[in-house]
């Protein structure tokens, strides 16, 4: 496995910011702490979960908070920055708009998956993990979804806020029915 460097994390964030017309937070010390958090989470979990949120360590539960998270685009549009303020709009970057706190958009049921898994020993962790999975609301299971604009396909319980490929809104996603859906 390739060692993750802070430079790699920064390059990935800068490239993503450029692609979507955003900027990274202009405060060098704050930006450094966010990038270090992303690096630490990627080393810990194997994926770069948001440095501002508690991850469960289970990819399936944390998919919506892998940076850039599903909530970034609506947060930047509405508030000028994402929840952790890693990504900001141009007016915030240039100091023309004051950076204010961004309210949490992540639904409580998704937060509880991460916050509910607290363990002391490996046995307790396994028991809590099994309990958290059993407490997932019935009827909610991942679906195969596609973007009607560009064809991007994703397997999740709900569509992303915006398509990561073409930036279409979540309303442009539709479910792909499979034979298993019709049998079950």
């Amino acid at each position: 496995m390739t060692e993750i460097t802070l430079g790699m994390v920064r390059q990935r964030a800068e490239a993503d910011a450029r692609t979507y017309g955003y900027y990274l937070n202009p405060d060098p010390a704050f930006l450094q702490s966010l990038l270090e958090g992303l690096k630490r989470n990627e080393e810990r979990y194997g994926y770069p979960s948001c440095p501002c949120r508690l991850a469960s360590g289970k990819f399936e539960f944390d998919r919506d908070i892998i940076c850039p998270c599903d909530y970034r685009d609506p947060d930047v549009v509405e508030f000028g920055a994402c929840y952790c303020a890693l990504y900001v709009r141009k007016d915030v970057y240039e100091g023309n708009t004051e950076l204010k706190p961004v309210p949490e958009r992540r639904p409580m049921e998704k937060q509880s998956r991460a916050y509910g898994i607290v363990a002391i020993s490996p046995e307790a962790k396994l028991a809590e993990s099994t309990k958290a999975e059993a407490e997932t609301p019935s009827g909610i299971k991942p679906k195969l979804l596609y973007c009607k604009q560009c064809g991007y396909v994703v397997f999740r319980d709900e569509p992303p806020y915006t398509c990561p490929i073409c930036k279409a809104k979540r309303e442009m996603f539709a479910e792909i029915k499979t034979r298993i859906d019709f049998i079950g």
Side-chain angles (χ1 to χ4, degrees):
M1 183 173 187
T2 306
E3 181 183 345
I4 301 156
T5 66
L6 207 50
M8 292 166 60
V9 173
R10 184 183 189 105
Q11 280 183 319
R12 188 173 49 218
E14 286 173 340
D16 191 70
R18 274 193 308 277
T19 298
Y20 293 97
Y22 301 140
Y23 295 82
L24 296 183
N25 192 297
D27 180 333
F30 186 68
L31 175 59
Q32 181 75 10
S33 70
L34 291 171
L35 295 173
E36 287 171 0
L38 279 171
K39 179 182 181 291
R40 188 170 29 260
N41 285 347
E42 191 165 357
E43 290 169 343
R44 181 183 298 151
Y45 303 122
Y47 49 89
S49 65
C50 285
C52 56
R53 293 185 169 101
L54 180 62
S56 70
K58 293 187 174 191
F59 180 81
E60 209 47 48
F61 289 171
D62 297 338
R63 188 179 294 203
D64 63 320
I65 60 168
I66 294 174
C67 188
C69 72
D70 287 355
Y71 315 105
R72 178 196 63 183
D73 294 336
D75 285 347
V76 172
V77 168
E78 188 174 346
F79 300 104
C82 64
Y83 185 65
C84 65
L86 173 62
Y87 295 99
V88 298
R89 282 190 319 231
K90 184 178 183 179
D91 57 319
V92 173
Y93 180 79
E94 293 175 342
N96 299 328
T97 302
E98 182 183 348
L99 189 58
K100 295 186 177 180
V102 176
E104 176 63 274
R105 259 182 221 273
R106 191 175 193 212
M108 191 53 78
E109 63 271 9
K110 289 188 177 191
Q111 290 181 50
S112 67
R113 291 176 183 167
Y115 298 140
I117 300 173
V118 178
I120 298 169
S121 67
E123 295 80 18
K125 184 173 185 175
L126 180 61
E128 285 296 322
S129 175
T130 305
K131 181 181 171 187
E133 288 175 16
E135 291 174 355
T136 301
S138 62
I140 296 178
K141 61 182 180 179
K143 298 175 250 183
L144 196 56
L145 304 163
Y146 76 99
C147 174
K148 294 187 275 187
Q149 185 164 307
C150 73
Y152 171 73
V153 176
V154 64
F155 185 66
R156 299 174 55 159
D157 52 342
E158 59 186 52
Y161 277 94
T162 57
C163 176
I165 306 301
C166 70
K167 303 285 280 166
K169 295 188 188 253
R170 75 182 324 166
E171 293 78 29
M172 290 298 291
F173 279 81
E175 186 173 358
I176 298 171
K177 292 290 186 182
T178 63
R179 286 185 57 199
I180 295 170
D181 291 333
F182 296 113
I183 294 169

